[in-house]
Amino acid sequence: MQKLTDLLDRPIVLVGLMGAGKSTVGRRLAKRLGLPFVDSDVEIEEASGATTADLFERYGEHDFRDGERRLVARLVEGDIRVIATGGGAFIDPRTRQLLNERAITIWLDAPIEVLAERTARRDNRPLLKKGNRAEILARLAEERHHSYSEAQIHVRSSSGAHSDVVDAIIAAIREHIGE
């Protein structure tokens, strides 16, 4: 594993819908690679002193995404690490371009029923508060598919073991960098 880590010249950024496993899988991936892990939503909350849901409600999606883009730009300039982004970060064309230029971007893609089950565990998702969770996720998946498909690597996640997803990501990174 050290050989792979030594070959990395940029951070690894996980993108995808809420509930795809970006934070959970990201932590495990970082541990396997011996790299630091950072969750952009946690960084936003620590910097602002408010939850992402509160910020989203207070400032609206447009202003939230603008701040998110600036934060993500700072995160990719730092040390090589694994970064989990918020579900909507990669939708912003400027953020998407920045990440694809300065990081290895990985789209974690999961079935709607898995996303709905995972996101039901916590009530902190502002976009899921107004309606049927599965229907909203299906709509978001359709709307965001084109943006997510611009990630350099596409890995499918499911209700199986997170270690299987980590293994798939590592194999995909190896192929991507030509190891």
Side-chain angles (χ1 to χ4, degrees):
M1 200 58 56
Q2 187 60 46
K3 181 181 176 194
L4 175 61
T5 303
D6 290 344
L7 291 173
L8 294 173
D9 64 349
R10 57 192 56 218
I12 297 166
V13 176
L14 303 177
V15 303
L17 279 172
M18 58 191 99
K22 298 179 300 289
S23 297
T24 304
V25 169
R27 276 187 207 88
R28 292 172 187 221
L29 176 63
K31 186 174 182 178
R32 285 267 298 274
L33 294 173
L35 294 172
F37 171 76
V38 64
D39 183 316
S40 68
D41 282 347
V42 171
E43 292 294 311
I44 288 168
E45 290 178 352
E46 287 180 1
S48 68
T51 67
T52 55
D54 288 341
L55 293 169
F56 207 91
E57 190 172 307
R58 191 177 312 154
Y59 299 107
E61 185 171 6
H62 176 76
D63 287 346
F64 177 84
R65 297 292 176 216
D66 191 49
E68 182 178 51
R69 180 180 41 74
R70 291 191 309 271
L71 175 96
V72 168
R74 286 194 306 273
L75 293 176
V76 296
E77 292 305 317
D79 297 331
I80 294 174
R81 58 182 130 191
V82 176
I83 302 167
T85 61
F90 206 64
I91 304 313
D92 181 280
R94 295 174 297 173
T95 303
R96 189 167 57 251
Q97 179 180 354
L98 170 84
L99 292 176
N100 276 330
E101 289 173 356
R102 298 185 186 166
I104 297 171
T105 54
I106 301 170
W107 172 22
L108 282 186
D109 186 13
I112 299 302
E113 58 274 6
V114 171
L115 299 173
E117 187 271 320
R118 288 178 181 167
T119 58
R121 296 175 190 162
R122 293 185 309 179
D123 190 29
N124 65 339
R125 317 280 185 160
L127 293 177
L128 298 181
K129 292 188 184 235
K130 297 177 182 157
N132 178 286
R133 180 178 305 276
E135 288 174 8
I136 294 168
L137 286 163
R139 179 181 48 78
L140 289 171
E142 186 176 326
E143 291 171 358
R144 296 176 175 185
H145 184 272
H146 176 74
S147 296
Y148 291 149
S149 70
E150 291 184 28
Q152 297 155 356
I153 297 171
H154 182 190
V155 173
R156 296 202 185 276
S157 175
S158 66
S159 58
H162 293 302
S163 61
D164 293 341
V165 179
V166 171
D167 290 341
I169 291 170
I170 289 170
I173 292 171
R174 282 194 162 121
E175 184 177 326
H176 181 74
I177 64 174
E179 186 205 39

